[in-house]
Amino acid sequence: WANWEFHVGFDMRAGIVISLASIHDAEAGARRRVLYRGFVSEIFVPYMDPAEEWYDRTFMDAGEYGLGVTTFPLQPGADCPANAAYLDGYYAGQDGKPVENKNMMCVFERYAGDIAWRHTEAGFADRLITETRPDASLVARMVVSSGNYDYILDWEFKPSGSIKFVVSMTGLLEVKGTDYTHADQIKQDAHGTLLAENTIGVYHDHYVTYYLDLDVDGTNNSFVKNVITTKRNTNTNTPRKSYWTVRREVAETEADAQVDVNVAAANLLIVNPNKKTRMGNEVGYRVAVGGATAASVLDDDDYPQRRASYSKKQVWVTPYKRDEKWATGLYADQSTGDDGLAVWSGRNRGIRNEDIVLWYTVGIHHIPCQDDFPIMPKVSGWFEVRPTNFFEQNPLLKTKLPRRESDLPTSVNCSCAGYFS
């Protein structure tokens, strides 16, 4: 689809799995690998009420329950649009026999009226020249209904070469009973919001961690931070006092690649140092950060923080190891924090020009409100990996022109019709 080729698979712990994603570069005349394998490694949801009957509610939806196991059939026309194709999911049951589930995933084209690129040139005295291209995407979707929450997981492939990862949350809030019937009665920390009479929605977090084994134009990659740095202007011939420039930092070890995106003003790149463009730039993909960048604020010695110690940073990079796939460790149920992403990364292994894995966590501090009750409207967070010096130029320039709707003397406009076929 639109030069993309990839495989959609199903796993009882991870749910939807995308593998062998590559894009055809028309100018190079070759198919180029982007992603070897990617999936949601963990969904960690710790609640913030330390009371005896609540302190242990720190759910690991993938490791303790299985995202694939808690995925149920999609509803055509509601969960997915009318043009969707549906895929079944298979896994081994507890008795070792294969389990078949229908309509576990859907794949569809999305036309949302977005623009891929455009420009209006107004420098001519007698006319405006407008050139525009509509955007489209191919979405692979799964919905996890893990207990009270539903997670809509979208993998969105764009003709520009980008992959957008969107997680949307809806479903039922986790609530507890209380004597309170009005907010004015609350004089101490109730650990939540009064949503209805005798009903409190408890504060909690959502951390959705993605495992992305990126192979950008080859197996050996590096992690680069282009740090935005302010400089004082020392050129007395200009009135400018300051400017910013880029300080390039190539991560040598795992410790160098741990990033809190709320602190670091930087472009984060996965590059192939062995492949360069005609201009001499290393080919790569950039991690574009969207909404939902919360990180854990719990104490390091707190039990849920020990179990999911990776949740204080959104970005980690590790060398590829076949048995390092699950952020909370191979056996997450009743874990104590002695296995998992932070423990592996603590070895501080070399990651420069190696086969590396990017881990990214979408995080939300959820303060419930009455608008979330009794069923919460969808709330979304996302991030994107997008080409950065991967192509020699904008890969959409050679796409065919849309059908011309009008050719008026004062304007040249293009419509979306017939752009992607």
Side-chain angles (χ1 to χ4, degrees), residues 116-117 133-136 159 396-397 399-403 415-421:
W117 67 263
R133 298 291 188 276
D135 201 7
L396 299 181
L397 288 179
T399 54
K400 63 183 180 180
L401 288 170
R403 186 182 72 247
S415 75
C416 300
Y419 181 44
F420 295 108
S421 59

Side-chain angles (χ1 to χ4, degrees), residues 1 7 51 58 112 124 148 181 192 200 202 205 317 324 342 350 371 381-382:
W1 178 89
H7 293 257
T58 57
F124 299 95
N148 54 305
T181 58
I200 283 181
V202 179
D205 296 322
V317 179
E324 295 181 4
D371 313 81
W382 62 270

Side-chain angles (χ1 to χ4, degrees), residues 346-411:
R347 301 167 189 160
N348 206 22
R349 298 161 293 188
I351 57 172
R352 183 168 187 165
N353 201 17
E354 298 285 349
D355 187 2
I356 56 178
V357 174
L358 173 75
W359 307 74
Y360 188 92
T361 297
V362 175
I364 293 177
H365 296 310
H366 192 172
I367 302 173
C369 60
Q370 287 183 241
D371 313 81
D372 295 338
F373 184 76
I375 296 180
M376 186 178 78
K378 184 183 74 173
V379 174
S380 300
W382 62 270
F383 71 103
E384 186 174 351
V385 293
R386 56 183 305 160
T388 301
N389 298 318
F390 188 80
F391 300 105
E392 295 292 342
Q393 60 180 357
N394 181 353
L396 299 181
L397 288 179
K398 294 184 178 180
T399 54
K400 63 183 180 180
L401 288 170
R403 186 182 72 247
R404 190 181 302 279
E405 291 289 336
S406 62
D407 192 8
L408 302 175
T410 58
S411 177

Side-chain angles (χ1 to χ4, degrees), residues 73-318:
L74 296 167
Q75 304 303 305
D79 288 327
C80 306
N83 64 329
Y86 292 85
L87 304 175
D88 301 333
Y90 299 84
Y91 62 87
Q94 293 183 357
D95 58 0
K97 295 180 181 179
V99 176
E100 178 189 44
N101 285 317
K102 293 290 188 181
N103 294 359
M104 291 291 101
M105 302 163 286
C106 69
V107 180
F108 59 91
E109 290 181 328
R110 173 184 285 155
Y111 297 86
D114 295 328
I115 297 170
W117 67 263
R118 80 176 309 279
H119 178 63
T120 294
E121 185 56 60
F124 299 95
D126 58 341
R127 59 175 177 157
L128 291 175
I129 298 177
T130 297
E131 194 81 23
T132 184
R133 298 291 188 276
D135 201 7
S137 58
L138 187 72
V139 179
R141 172 175 293 172
M142 179 187 78
V143 178
V144 177
S145 299
S146 185
N148 54 305
Y149 271 106
D150 293 62
Y151 295 91
I152 305 161
L153 303 173
D154 283 357
W155 296 66
E156 188 172 342
F157 293 82
K158 294 179 174 292
S160 62
S162 293
I163 309 174
K164 187 175 182 180
F165 308 85
V166 183
V167 54
S168 302
M169 289 156 278
T170 178
L172 300 174
L173 293 177
E174 188 95 349
V175 298
K176 69 173 184 178
T178 180
D179 292 334
Y180 300 129
T181 58
H182 194 277
D184 289 345
Q185 299 171 340
I186 302 174
K187 305 302 181 183
Q188 59 185 2
D189 193 346
H191 310 294
T193 305
L194 188 67
L195 305 176
E197 291 184 354
N198 309 118
T199 305
I200 283 181
V202 179
Y203 304 144
H204 58 282
D205 296 322
H206 300 265
Y207 299 112
V208 182
T209 301
Y210 287 79
Y211 169 104
L212 300 177
D213 183 2
L214 292 163
D215 285 352
V216 177
D217 217 13
T219 303
N220 284 26
N221 291 170
S222 295
F223 182 69
V224 175
K225 291 183 282 187
N226 281 336
V227 182
I228 307 301
T229 306
T230 302
K231 294 286 187 178
R232 189 70 177 174
N233 182 29
T234 58
N235 184 353
T236 58
N237 296 324
T238 171
R240 282 291 297 273
K241 301 298 183 183
S242 64
Y243 62 95
W244 66 259
T245 188
V246 174
R247 184 179 73 249
R248 188 174 187 269
E249 299 177 357
V250 182
E252 297 288 346
T253 65
E254 292 172 276
D256 300 331
Q258 298 172 17
V259 179
D260 182 346
V261 299
N262 297 310
V263 175
N267 275 352
L268 308 177
L269 307 172
I270 300 291
V271 303
N272 188 328
N274 312 294
K275 301 284 183 67
K276 295 187 178 183
T277 65
R278 287 197 298 266
M279 296 296 100
N281 295 307
E282 292 176 343
V283 303
Y285 263 70
R286 177 167 65 91
V287 182
V289 178
T293 59
S296 177
V297 296
L298 296 179
D299 291 339
D300 290 339
D301 62 348
D302 197 6
Y303 181 61
Q305 187 59 43
R306 286 164 46 202
R307 299 182 72 207
S309 51
Y310 62 87
S311 58
K312 289 203 169 181
K313 301 285 179 62
Q314 297 87 359
V315 176
W316 301 68
V317 179
T318 61

